[in-house]
Amino acid sequence: MAVRLRLTRVGARKDPVWRIVAADQRSPRDGRVLEILGQYNAQTEPSTIVVDEDRVRDWLSKGAQPTDTVRKLLRTQGIS
């Protein structure tokens, strides 16, 4: 099973909030997740990024691959 760290959309219509999750790469975007690792809200100024750093590092050490967007968010938080 290949695990990806990626975003899943939650929130109201036209008011998205994104969760950073660990999920099987074969599952749909808003489908089953293994663990919720944080959230990202681009609607605020400045953007709000909340990440459980220990759990993210644990998943990365186990071989989980972040998507490009999540990699960029983690880099802004000083992770990976």
Side-chain angles (χ1 to χ4, degrees):
M1 173 172 70
V3 176
R4 292 250 184 213
L5 302 183
R6 64 184 187 193
L7 297 176
T8 182
R9 190 178 194 269
V10 294
R13 183 179 56 164
K14 295 190 178 183
D15 186 25
V17 177
W18 300 89
R19 284 186 183 152
I20 301 169
V21 299
D24 185 344
Q25 72 177 8
R26 298 170 294 183
S27 65
R29 182 192 73 185
D30 296 335
R32 184 169 164 260
V33 300
L34 301 172
E35 185 175 0
I36 298 172
L37 304 172
Q39 71 178 18
Y40 166 61
N41 187 353
Q43 302 293 326
T44 60
E45 185 59 45
S47 297
T48 306
I49 304 170
V50 179
V51 179
D52 185 349
E53 187 173 336
D54 293 334
R55 295 303 300 153
V56 169
R57 289 188 191 278
D58 184 49
W59 278 108
L60 291 173
S61 70
K62 292 178 183 175
Q65 296 294 314
T67 60
D68 293 337
T69 306
V70 172
R71 183 177 291 118
K72 185 189 298 185
L73 292 174
L74 294 177
R75 201 171 291 141
T76 63
Q77 296 298 303
I79 306 170
S80 85

